Amino acid sequence: MNTLVENQFGHGAKVQGNLVHKLKRLLRSNIGMVSIPFDWSKGVIGKTEYNIKNQFQSFSCWGQMFSQMVRIFIGGEELSAKAAYSPIYAPGTGGVYLAKGITEAKVFGITTEAKVPSKNLYGGVSEPFMEDKSWMSASMIDDCFTRRGWKVVNVAINVDSMAQAIRDYGCIGILIHGQNNGSWLSQFPTPPDINSTEEIWAHFMCSKPNIRPQVGTKQLDFSQSWGEQVGLGGVQTFDEKYINSGYIVDVFTFIKV
């Protein structure tokens, strides 16, 4: 088991209990199943791909995911994971509740990596560095406002709906439960084992905008914000077994309002 190695990476999603989370999800809008089924033999190819991010041991996975998703939606230069994380992290524990992220996407927005770097002068990331809000001047907040107005919408937690949403909206985000079970450095992580003594943690991840053509299998690729040394060049793959396991607890995308 590679749990000691896996522990070098942070996650940082926070969940307010299953019942509260399910209620909040129930109250959100749904995009539903579209009329055109997803053609797995063709997949989705040709969309712009962006570099894998790295949160190191920080709990900034929301910032890593949200900045990547908005960049996929609008194109252009890299967006700042720090600018997405530091205004809404949970004081004392770090990490982000999805409800806080939803509010941020709609009313606050995000600025560019060039203006608010998500790595320190030595190329690393720490939790105190990501929590630092000293960048939040009036002019920087105004710049964030130029990229706000995103409404989160539910995607059904099944592989076909998720593939359709990637095809039609550009990408999806997931809130996933994982466990240091020796699989999270690989291309194919496995669901938690409830009989294990290892902690079950929560993590936000962003899908790739492209889906590989495939026959007989249904797998989706997600950018892991732990750098390119994890998975296959920083990309991890989840099959129907993981998606149907109950450990992917939320799937969503954003639409402009």
Side-chain angles (χ1 to χ4, degrees):
M1 298 262 293
N2 292 318
T3 55
L4 291 178
V5 179
E6 288 176 346
N7 276 325
Q8 70 181 290
F9 301 111
H11 21 86
K14 301 185 76 67
V15 183
Q16 294 175 299
N18 287 335
L19 290 178
V20 173
H21 182 86
K22 288 179 178 179
L23 176 61
K24 289 187 174 181
R25 179 172 165 87
L26 183 66
L27 295 174
R28 298 194 320 240
S29 300
N30 301 281
I31 61 170
M33 291 284 286
V34 296
S35 58
I36 304 173
F38 187 78
D39 188 343
W40 288 92
S41 67
K42 293 182 179 179
V44 177
I45 57 175
K47 292 184 178 180
T48 301
E49 300 270 354
Y50 296 108
N51 293 337
I52 298 297
K53 292 176 174 287
N54 196 335
Q55 70 187 84
F56 292 88
Q57 286 188 307
S58 76
F59 299 117
S60 63
C61 58
W62 166 267
Q64 313 294 336
M65 179 203 70
F66 181 61
S67 60
Q68 192 83 308
M69 291 183 72
V70 176
R71 191 183 187 193
I72 291 171
F73 296 143
I74 67 176
E77 60 186 307
E78 184 177 359
L79 300 177
S80 172
K82 178 174 179 174
Y85 179 68
S86 59
I88 59 171
Y89 76 91
T93 60
V96 167
Y97 290 103
L98 180 55
K100 288 277 191 178
I102 290 170
T103 300
E104 174 186 65
K106 186 174 182 179
V107 305
F108 186 77
I110 189 171
T111 190
T112 65
E113 180 70 12
K115 292 179 178 176
V116 181
S118 301
K119 293 184 179 180
N120 61 34
L121 295 176
Y122 305 99
V125 175
S126 68
E127 182 63 19
F129 174 79
M130 294 300 286
E131 292 179 358
D132 173 56
K133 300 180 183 180
S134 61
W135 63 272
M136 293 179 68
S137 66
S139 62
M140 292 304 300
I141 292 172
D142 285 343
D143 190 73
C144 288
F145 285 175
T146 66
R147 300 174 193 85
R148 65 178 176 178
W150 298 99
K151 177 184 177 181
V152 73
V153 289
N154 292 335
V155 177
I157 307 176
N158 67 69
V159 71
D160 290 293
S161 295
M162 293 163 69
Q164 289 175 359
I166 293 169
R167 178 195 65 195
D168 297 336
Y169 294 86
C171 64
I172 59 174
I174 58 173
L175 172 54
I176 186 170
H177 281 155
Q179 186 181 56
N180 291 351
N181 55 17
S183 72
W184 277 88
L185 301 180
S186 73
Q187 185 181 356
F188 302 98
T190 56
D193 177 1
I194 59 173
N195 296 314
S196 171
T197 58
E198 288 282 348
E199 172 197 6
I200 295 177
W201 37 258
H203 190 39
F204 291 111
M205 297 180 71
C206 171
S207 76
K208 302 294 285 182
N210 294 297
I211 300 175
R212 294 170 286 106
Q214 47 197 287
V215 177
T217 62
K218 293 181 178 181
Q219 300 175 334
L220 297 174
D221 295 334
F222 285 79
S223 297
Q224 177 56 278
S225 54
W226 293 346
E228 294 184 353
Q229 74 274 31
V230 172
L232 182 62
V235 176
Q236 292 184 314
T237 301
F238 297 92
D239 59 14
E240 287 184 271
K241 180 180 178 181
Y242 209 126
I243 291 169
N244 295 333
S245 69
Y247 288 111
I248 294 183
V249 297
D250 213 320
V251 182
F252 49 88
T253 191
F254 295 94
I255 59 174
K256 195 71 171 175
V257 295

